[in-house]
Amino acid sequence: MAQQSLTFQHVKTVDQVNKITTSLMMLEGVDSAEVGRHGAEVDGRASRQTLINAIEKLKLGVKVS
């Protein structure tokens, strides 16, 4: 199991955090995700690009790096 760190910009609300958490947890290969306003720690086999794509598909205006 690999751990990946993502950094966020423009996450301002609990609703955004909840949507990001749900989106990441529903991905194939994600075992756990701890999400906050400034980033996420994700465990599992999903690729970094898959995680970023899932967040961008939410169209929340969040910048992920």
Side-chain angles (χ1 to χ4, degrees), residues 4-62:
Q4 303 202 48
S5 297
L6 301 174
T7 302
F8 303 147
Q9 292 178 352
H10 311 296
V11 175
K12 297 182 178 168
T13 68
V14 172
D15 186 52
Q16 288 175 309
V17 171
N18 289 339
K19 286 179 180 179
I20 293 168
T21 302
T22 300
S23 178
L24 293 175
M25 288 302 299
M26 294 192 66
L27 291 173
E28 179 76 28
V30 171
D31 297 322
S32 68
E34 292 186 33
V35 181
R37 285 184 49 231
H38 302 289
E41 297 293 327
V42 182
D43 288 322
R45 344 177 271 291
S47 73
R48 180 176 187 79
Q49 193 58 52
T50 298
L51 302 174
I52 292 170
N53 290 346
I55 295 168
E56 288 176 347
K57 282 183 185 178
L58 295 173
K59 299 192 188 275
L60 298 174
V62 173

